[in-house]
Amino acid sequence: MASKKGFISMATVPSYSVVQSSRALHIFSELSKEFQDMYLIMQHYEVNEVKLDNLIQVRPLIPIDGRFSLVKGMLYRLQLSLSAFWFAIRSHRDFAILRGYDSIMLLILLKLVGVRVYSDFHGKYDLELSQRGKHLRSFFVKYIDMITLKLSDRIIVVSEGIEAQIQEYKDKCILIPNGIDVQKIDDANTGINTLDFKGYKKIVGFVGNWESFMNVEDMCQAAAYTPEVLFVIVGEGFNASALMDKYRSYENVLFAGRRPQKEAFSIMHMFDICILPYDKMDSHSKYPGFFSSRKTKEYIAAGKPIIVADVIGKESCLIPGHNCVLYESRNPRDLADKISELFNDTTLLASMGLNNFEMREHFTWDYLIQNSGIVEDLQNNGSSPE
């Protein structure tokens, strides 16, 4: 059987520090082991961070930064779509993996020429936009997603909860959660971080650029109840500036901001406990097993005990008493109590860390891709959906 020829296209720069980009890079690397004629098409990046022979970087004809960045961003996505479509035609691609509602034009063009399309779907983004008050954009995204889901030959979903959002397309779904690079996490355990922990002996933290479904403020408010504990927040995200301004004066709250990936991992290794402050008020939290945060798998790989908000959408791999402790979302006093209780129970603290460390191989990209069924689906041209 002749090997299928495919490509992955995303309107972001190739970087392992950007979650969306990192996912595409890892899926590309794993599929390239099975399909030699694979390409990755992304936005041009001046930083030479990723060195891949089959990486095609499309430089924007009009620089996106500056005034009218939204319009220029839309023009770039048109440019990227046309570039990827031309590549698919002249190199006779069999399949393509796309992500994002802004790839709708490319999807339609590819379908017209018989290219099999796999859409990497990360949930109903229109719900998030609506929660943030962006109703007009939410309206358009909702209907673009409807077209995308209907036309896609297969839908790659990141979690069971996302699949539950689109039950009518269950037969087209392939589950590929977010994975981790265990070696990179291990290599960062070298103490290269430059933070001053101010002499604190107990450190809890969060690492990642958070979306609106993460209520990081739970951690900031919990700090007032546990003055002996240092709360370290690495990264930025939804309402980050307002959050930093509000809590910067707290002696035991440290905002580390964005850091290179290796330094972020190094800081994470210094934590005694890692926090996942999911927000119970977010609509995504109401779908069982919706979340598949990369940071969760990174905490697990580092062998860290986890305290997670008790929301329906939390990852199914988080088992209370085994590798995590639950706290009530939007109840910082309860979070503070759970932190204190875990620090006082050193046996449980150690066993949770060990239990997480021992399960980390189940979240490597190699394991996830090989157990997803996508390789067989691509090889068989999708003739036998699960």
Side-chain angles (χ1 to χ4, degrees):
M1 180 185 298
S3 177
K4 297 294 191 299
K5 299 188 295 184
F7 71 96
I8 299 174
S9 179
M10 277 193 64
T12 185
V13 298
S15 170
Y16 287 103
S17 296
V18 179
V19 174
Q20 299 92 327
S21 173
S22 176
R23 178 174 170 85
L25 288 164
H26 282 294
I27 291 177
F28 169 79
S29 296
E30 293 302 322
L31 291 182
S32 294
K33 298 174 184 177
E34 307 290 341
F35 305 95
Q36 294 183 354
D37 201 346
M38 277 286 297
Y39 280 80
L40 185 60
I41 303 175
M42 305 184 78
Q43 182 179 332
H44 184 267
Y45 194 29
E46 297 295 341
V47 179
N48 191 20
E49 176 185 341
V50 177
K51 300 177 178 64
L52 294 171
D53 292 336
N54 288 14
L55 172 62
I56 299 173
Q57 299 190 63
V58 180
R59 186 188 296 272
L61 295 174
I62 303 173
I64 299 174
D65 296 336
R67 297 179 62 190
F68 310 112
S69 58
L70 178 60
V71 175
K72 290 188 286 188
M74 293 171 62
L75 290 174
Y76 175 70
R77 282 161 176 76
L78 172 61
Q79 176 193 343
L80 182 70
S81 293
L82 293 176
S83 297
F85 179 59
W86 174 240
F87 170 78
I89 292 176
R90 65 182 173 84
S91 61
H92 307 290
R93 297 291 103 178
D94 297 298
F95 67 86
I97 298 176
L98 312 180
R99 175 174 174 178
Y101 67 91
D102 52 9
S103 64
I104 182 64
M105 188 184 77
L106 177 57
L107 185 155
I108 293 172
L109 291 173
L110 292 172
K111 292 291 292 182
L112 289 174
V113 296
V115 176
R116 189 169 182 79
V117 176
Y118 290 66
S119 289
D120 193 15
F121 185 68
H122 289 241
K124 293 185 175 181
Y125 184 46
D126 63 288
L127 297 179
E128 181 179 333
L129 290 170
S130 182
Q131 286 184 169
R132 291 160 58 183
K134 298 183 178 181
H135 300 294
L136 181 60
R137 188 177 174 190
S138 172
F139 174 82
F140 284 108
V141 169
K142 178 180 179 179
Y143 285 96
I144 289 172
D145 277 351
M146 287 173 59
I147 297 170
T148 297
L149 294 170
K150 185 175 181 62
L151 294 183
S152 298
D153 295 284
R154 289 288 185 270
I155 303 166
I156 301 172
V157 294
V158 187
S159 69
E160 300 93 337
I162 291 176
E163 184 177 312
Q165 282 189 331
I166 53 172
Q167 277 294 302
E168 64 271 34
Y169 297 109
K170 182 174 181 169
D171 290 343
K172 294 203 294 186
C173 289
I174 296 174
L175 175 63
I176 304 181
N178 282 319
I180 49 171
D181 186 330
V182 168
Q183 192 59 54
K184 283 187 177 181
I185 294 171
D186 287 348
D187 290 345
N189 195 10
T190 56
I192 65 169
N193 80 80
T194 57
L195 291 182
D196 178 9
F197 289 150
K198 308 174 186 178
Y200 281 88
K201 302 299 183 183
K202 299 177 180 179
I203 304 171
V204 303
F206 173 94
V207 176
N209 295 313
W210 62 91
E211 305 291 345
S212 58
F213 53 72
M214 285 284 183
N215 188 23
V216 177
E217 192 165 15
D218 276 356
M219 295 178 61
C220 301
Q221 294 178 345
Y225 301 107
T226 51
E228 75 283 4
V229 177
L230 178 65
F231 290 72
V232 181
I233 300 169
V234 182
E236 294 181 4
F238 183 68
N239 283 339
S241 296
L243 201 66
M244 292 178 188
D245 289 342
K246 185 175 180 180
Y247 295 100
R248 199 182 300 275
S249 62
Y250 280 43
E251 177 68 23
N252 62 329
V253 176
L254 177 58
F255 291 99
R258 296 182 187 273
R259 301 276 171 147
Q261 187 184 63
K262 186 171 184 178
E263 185 177 357
F265 286 159
S266 180
I267 296 170
M268 179 178 68
H269 279 295
M270 304 294 290
F271 298 163
D272 299 297
I273 301 169
C274 291
I275 312 294
L276 288 170
Y278 292 125
D279 189 353
K280 68 179 180 182
M281 301 303 294
D282 188 274
S283 59
H284 299 105
S285 297
K286 298 174 175 59
Y287 290 93
F290 178 89
F291 297 115
S292 180
S293 297
R294 187 178 72 173
K295 60 183 66 64
T296 303
K297 319 299 173 50
E298 292 168 348
Y299 296 167
I300 288 172
K304 297 299 177 181
I306 295 172
I307 298 180
V308 57
D310 187 10
V311 299
I312 295 172
K314 66 182 179 297
E315 289 88 344
S316 58
C317 65
L318 296 177
I319 303 171
H322 177 72
N323 62 347
C324 75
V325 167
L326 304 180
Y327 83 95
E328 182 185 354
S329 173
R330 296 205 170 207
N331 186 342
R333 183 58 185 261
D334 187 51
L335 174 57
D337 289 345
K338 296 301 169 55
I339 290 171
S340 297
E341 290 170 11
L342 192 51
F343 271 122
N344 289 332
D345 192 340
T346 55
T347 301
L348 181 61
L349 190 72
S351 68
M352 283 186 174
L354 179 60
N355 290 338
N356 273 329
F357 188 82
E358 289 180 343
M359 67 189 291
R360 67 183 194 157
E361 294 299 329
H362 289 173
F363 302 108
T364 64
W365 282 107
D366 175 69
Y367 182 93
L368 294 172
I369 294 294
Q370 292 302 320
N371 286 274
S372 69
I374 190 171
V375 172
E376 294 78 10
D377 195 271
L378 290 168
Q379 288 172 337
N380 298 328
N381 203 26
S383 57
S384 302
E386 294 296 330

